[in-house]
């Protein structure tokens, strides 16, 4: 089955620690996205990439970093500079053709110890 | 600045009733409007999407109505069922969906048996 796999499902971060969230897709999609979801709010865009080795900042990129070395992988690092990292993180992917939906993984819930 | 405003924040409907969720957007460059359904602990899944050249689109019990002049669109769920209880997000994108999504804040729907 094609889809998006996010791991781990739950992650805990200590103060001053960087943590990396994994996102892998086998849909052969060119574009990949990271969104953050807070309670009672919609999803907000952190970073996106439309092609390997290229990515763009979204609305809330501060304190986060990404890489896109392979088409199927788009890991997100939450750095110690992100002072309020507790949230539900969602990865998505899509083709670059028009009128095609973004497909989402089942998320990683990050909490502070 | 919130570019997509969604209401109501929560909604309780009796089984068999009609659920109506409304969204309004500001950016006239948006040209792709999807609705997503999200269950707790899961990623959003696409329900139905519409382009602004169509005033209405129906898929099963789900209908999107679109008013381009008012910059508003809405989701109607006919014959609502307890299994429809979830959070619903409207979203908007540019370039026929090739760009990242801007999400509304979500509506938590509860369908009572």
């Amino acid at each position: 089955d094609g889809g998006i796999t996010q791991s781990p499902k739950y992650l805990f971060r200590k103060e001053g620690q960087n943590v990396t969230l994994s996102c892998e897709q086998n849909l052969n999609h060119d574009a990949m996205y990271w969104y953050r979801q807070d309670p009672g709010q919609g999803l907000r865009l952190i970073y996106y990439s439309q092609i390997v080795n290229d990515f763009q900042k979204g609305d809330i990129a501060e304190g986060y970093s990404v890489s896109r070395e392979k088409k199927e992988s788009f890991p997100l690092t939450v750095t110690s500079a992100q002072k309020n990292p507790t949230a539900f993180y969602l990865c998505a992917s899509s083709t670059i053709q028009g009128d095609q939906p973004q497909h989402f993984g089942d998320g990683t819930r990050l909490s502070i110890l | 600045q919130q570019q997509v405003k969604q209401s109501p924040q929560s909604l309780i409907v009796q089984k068999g009733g009609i659920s109506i969720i409304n969204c309004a957007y500001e950016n006239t460059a948006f040209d792709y409007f999807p609705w997503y359904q999200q269950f707790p602990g899961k990623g959003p899944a696409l329900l139905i999407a519409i382009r602004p050249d169509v005033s209405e689109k129906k898929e099963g019990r789900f209908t999107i109505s679109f008013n381009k002049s008012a910059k508003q669109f809405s989701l109607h769920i006919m014959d609502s069922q307890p299994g429809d209880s979830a959070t619903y997000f409207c979203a908007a994108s540019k370039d026929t969906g090739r760009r990242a999504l801007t999400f509304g804040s979500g509506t938590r729907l509860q369908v009572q048996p």
Side-chain angles (χ1 to χ4, degrees):
Chain A
D1 277 343
I4 299 174
T5 301
Q6 290 189 240
S7 61
K9 191 170 179 65
Y10 300 95
L11 187 59
F12 298 90
R13 196 191 88 170
K14 295 179 181 179
E15 292 290 338
Q17 184 182 42
N18 293 352
V19 292
T20 297
L21 285 60
S22 172
C23 178
E24 303 278 332
Q25 55 100 358
N26 61 4
L27 299 167
N28 198 34
H29 286 168
D30 290 292
M32 297 187 74
Y33 310 82
W34 275 105
Y35 294 90
R36 170 179 170 140
Q37 185 174 24
D38 293 283
Q41 296 188 37
L43 285 68
R44 293 181 291 166
L45 181 67
I46 305 173
Y47 268 98
Y48 65 100
S49 167
Q50 295 197 306
I51 194 170
V52 173
N53 292 323
D54 186 52
F55 48 83
Q56 306 295 326
K57 292 182 179 180
D59 300 320
I60 54 167
E62 185 175 351
Y64 300 97
S65 66
V66 294
S67 63
R68 186 86 187 276
E69 297 177 0
K70 298 185 295 182
K71 184 177 182 178
E72 59 270 23
S73 178
F74 192 40
L76 173 74
T77 297
V78 184
T79 75
S80 57
Q82 172 50 246
K83 298 307 179 186
N84 184 24
T86 297
F88 192 45
Y89 290 88
L90 288 157
C91 178
S93 71
S94 67
T95 70
I96 56 173
Q97 296 174 344
D99 292 332
Q100 296 300 314
Q102 289 185 18
H103 297 264
F104 284 82
D106 280 339
T108 292
R109 189 166 299 280
L110 175 62
S111 303
I112 295 298
L113 282 177
Chain B
Q1 182 183 10
Q2 187 181 5
Q3 295 194 55
V4 179
K5 295 183 179 179
Q6 183 171 347
S7 63
Q9 188 173 7
S10 63
L11 182 61
I12 299 175
V13 173
Q14 295 297 314
K15 179 182 176 182
I18 302 174
S19 304
I20 301 174
I21 304 170
N22 300 299
C23 284
Y25 64 97
E26 300 168 3
N27 192 337
T28 55
F30 288 145
D31 62 3
Y32 177 74
F33 302 89
W35 283 89
Y36 282 85
Q37 179 189 56
Q38 185 181 31
F39 293 103
K42 296 292 187 181
L46 179 74
L47 266 179
I48 186 172
I50 198 168
R51 294 286 310 282
D53 53 347
V54 176
S55 61
E56 185 175 283
K57 183 175 182 180
K58 183 176 181 179
E59 289 185 4
R61 295 185 295 110
F62 301 94
T63 300
I64 299 179
S65 298
F66 190 88
N67 186 330
K68 187 175 181 179
S69 60
K71 292 188 286 186
Q72 295 175 347
F73 58 111
S74 60
L75 176 69
H76 292 64
I77 305 174
M78 312 299 288
D79 187 26
S80 299
Q81 299 297 312
D84 296 331
S85 298
T87 300
Y88 293 81
F89 292 96
C90 62
S93 177
K94 305 174 188 177
D95 200 13
T96 63
R98 293 186 181 91
R99 304 298 174 184
L101 293 166
T102 298
F103 283 85
S105 56
T107 295
R108 189 169 182 177
L109 171 65
Q110 184 180 347
V111 181
Q112 294 184 332

